[in-house]
Amino acid sequence: MTRPARLLIVGPQGSGKGTQGVRIAEEFGIPVVSTGDVFRANVKDGTPLGLQVKAIIEAGDLVPDALTSEIVRDRLSQDDAASGFLLDGYPRNLGQVGDLATFLDGRGEGLDAVIELQVPRAESIDRLTRRAFEQGRTDDTEEVIANRLAIYETETAPILDVYREQGIVDAIDGIGSLDEITDRIIAALEARGLARRAAA
Ligand code: ADP
């Protein structure tokens, strides 16, 4: 029996965590749960949730914890997440860390590893500015980027201390080619005894 992989990927905006998250989830045969993607899809479709969060996202602020945590609990309760998942963009502050712990504890589960993707601030600003041209995301304006990065530093970075204390954080250098970075992450996860689907 291979252990299911319950993973979290954390990194500043522009660190490439979305791209790497998809690649790693694929390798481990688990679904990606990205709160940003869920919110964006709802905004695009004009659902009640989308209408509720549109202005918050466009300002680069955080959607309230109670709402975000409820969405994640619903998603993690679906069958395909029963034996593993990769969280991208959640938890994003200490309140959400508590909500997730309560939910997973209730199922007798916990996170196996937290991938911390490290990139210097100047590099992430560079990448985001480029992405703004390529993808036209409405929250990729200079002012909103600055707000999102500030929230990352004050609210999100501290969650890593909690997980470091649990000994589950793997710090990964986020500078290099996409393949190099994917390989670094896989090596770190395999060193924890987490097996890829392909190798299972
Ligand atoms: P980025 O990491 O580049 O900011 P995301 O796709 O992760 O992009 O998130 C986009 C936006 O969605 C955030 O700025 C925020 O408004 C909202 N959001 C995503 N995840 C969360 C979360 N866990 N808690 C609160 N708001 C969130």
Side-chain angles (χ1 to χ4, degrees), residues 99-172:
D99 289 346
L100 178 66
T102 303
F103 175 74
L104 291 179
D105 281 353
R107 304 209 302 191
E109 297 172 3
L111 293 175
D112 295 301
V114 176
I115 304 152
E116 177 193 1
L117 210 49
Q118 297 181 324
V119 294
R121 191 187 167 97
E123 171 71 18
S124 59
I125 292 175
D126 242 37
R127 292 185 189 175
L128 285 170
T129 314
R130 249 177 288 141
R131 186 174 80 184
F133 281 109
E134 288 161 14
Q135 297 181 4
R137 250 176 70 166
T138 52
D139 60 352
D140 274 348
T141 64
E142 203 178 318
E143 193 190 342
V144 175
I145 287 172
N147 187 35
R148 284 156 57 217
L149 282 168
I151 292 176
Y152 180 81
E153 276 162 27
T154 56
E155 297 198 39
T156 307
I159 77 172
L160 288 165
D161 293 335
V162 175
Y163 293 127
R164 266 192 286 266
E165 242 168 64
Q166 297 173 14
I168 56 173
V169 175
D170 288 315
I172 305 291

Side-chain angles (χ1 to χ4, degrees), residues 2 14 18 23 27 31 36 42 48 70-71 84 94 99 121-122 128 133 144 171 176-177 182 188 190:
T2 49
R23 288 171 158 233
E27 289 286 340
N42 278 274
E70 188 189 329
I71 287 164
L94 291 171
D99 289 346
R121 191 187 167 97
L128 285 170
F133 281 109
V144 175
S177 73
T182 304
E190 286 186 338

